[in-house]
Amino acid sequence: MSESDVKVVLVPGAWADGSSWSKVITGLQSNGVSAVTVPVPLTTLDDDVAALDRTLERIDGPVVLVGHAYAGAVIGATRNPRIKALVYIAALSPAEGETVADVFYRNEPHPTAPKLGPDNHGLIWLPQEAFAAAFAQDASAQELAVLAAVQRPISPACISVPVGRPLWKDVPSWYLLAEQDHMIVAETQRFMAERMKARVSVHPVDHTPSVTAPGFVVDVILQAVREVRV
């Protein structure tokens, strides 16, 4: 099997859409690896896993599944047997019986982390100023404008439901630990990565390295792709 036979599926987290992976997609493509993103609705965790499963139905062959931030819970909750590796990009990885909120709020938040709460429709939006302060502080002004313009809100129902046995118990995992993350502090990331027994890559990057440091993200995904090659 060649690297090109392994497909990469990219799942955006809260407040992002598939465009947040654009630099990673082109970086993988230049290495002969194809990738698709998952249009998660961010309505409930079950809805998001169902959206992932529908995307996986359209793909043949072995899969390396990649999740950013909240999407770590999504990639851990699917059960598709063609998934051969999981890659967590500054992502949350609740254990069985935990919620996303349990791990997100495990440690004291960074001083610049935004205060989050639902609006009148029960949806959680990221405040405009939080993109530059916490979500992607290393991004250019142009990148920040796009991130803010395409942001998608998340429902509290996504983060308040205990998860079942996570897939990282059964397949190998990789973890990109973002040392300068102002949304999910590095201490929390390290705890989760070590609990998962993931292969950890540590970099001085912000919460959204797919935008601000895509080379590091591509590198860790390619490590997983090469490992699952038969």
Side-chain angles (χ1 to χ4, degrees):
M1 184 190 300
S2 68
E3 284 183 25
S4 61
D5 294 321
V6 179
K7 304 300 191 297
V8 173
V9 175
L10 304 160
V11 189
W15 309 299
D17 69 1
S19 66
S20 64
W21 293 108
S22 59
K23 295 179 184 178
V24 173
I25 292 166
T26 55
L28 291 170
Q29 188 176 43
S30 69
N31 283 275
V33 178
S34 64
V36 299
T37 67
V38 178
V40 286
L42 301 176
T43 46
T44 69
L45 181 58
D46 284 346
D47 288 348
D48 295 337
V49 175
L52 168 57
D53 288 340
R54 287 193 296 271
T55 299
L56 292 170
E57 286 177 10
R58 298 168 40 229
I59 298 169
D60 296 323
V63 170
V64 170
L65 187 53
V66 186
H68 172 239
Y70 157 72
V74 180
I75 68 173
T78 188
R79 293 292 178 268
N80 192 298
R82 288 186 293 105
I83 298 166
K84 304 303 180 185
L86 300 173
V87 180
Y88 291 77
I89 307 300
L92 296 162
S93 56
E96 186 169 4
E98 290 181 337
T99 68
V100 172
D102 287 338
V103 283
F104 183 74
Y105 292 110
R106 185 175 188 275
N107 289 296
E108 195 69 26
H110 190 275
T112 66
K115 299 278 192 294
L116 299 172
D119 66 7
N120 292 335
H121 302 282
L123 299 172
I124 303 171
W125 295 84
L126 196 64
Q128 184 81 12
E129 64 276 8
F131 285 95
F135 193 77
Q137 70 268 19
D138 296 333
S140 68
Q142 184 180 35
E143 290 165 340
L144 288 168
V146 172
L147 286 168
V150 303
Q151 81 149 305
R152 300 170 62 248
I154 186 170
S155 166
C158 295
I159 64 173
S160 58
V161 178
V163 304
R165 178 183 174 87
L167 189 59
W168 49 260
K169 289 272 193 181
D170 303 308
V171 302
S173 59
W174 281 254
Y175 198 106
L176 189 154
L177 196 160
E179 288 184 303
Q180 304 302 318
D181 196 325
H182 294 179
M183 295 292 295
I184 305 170
V185 294
E187 182 183 1
T188 297
Q189 293 182 46
R190 187 173 299 281
F191 164 77
M192 293 183 295
E194 291 178 350
R195 180 172 67 175
M196 294 162 60
K197 298 181 171 56
R199 302 180 203 188
V200 183
S201 299
V202 182
H203 297 289
V205 296
D206 64 19
H207 179 66
T208 315
S210 59
V211 174
T212 60
F216 291 138
V217 179
V218 171
D219 285 347
V220 71
I221 295 171
L222 289 176
Q223 289 174 31
V225 169
R226 292 175 184 132
E227 183 77 14
V228 303
R229 208 173 25 166
V230 175

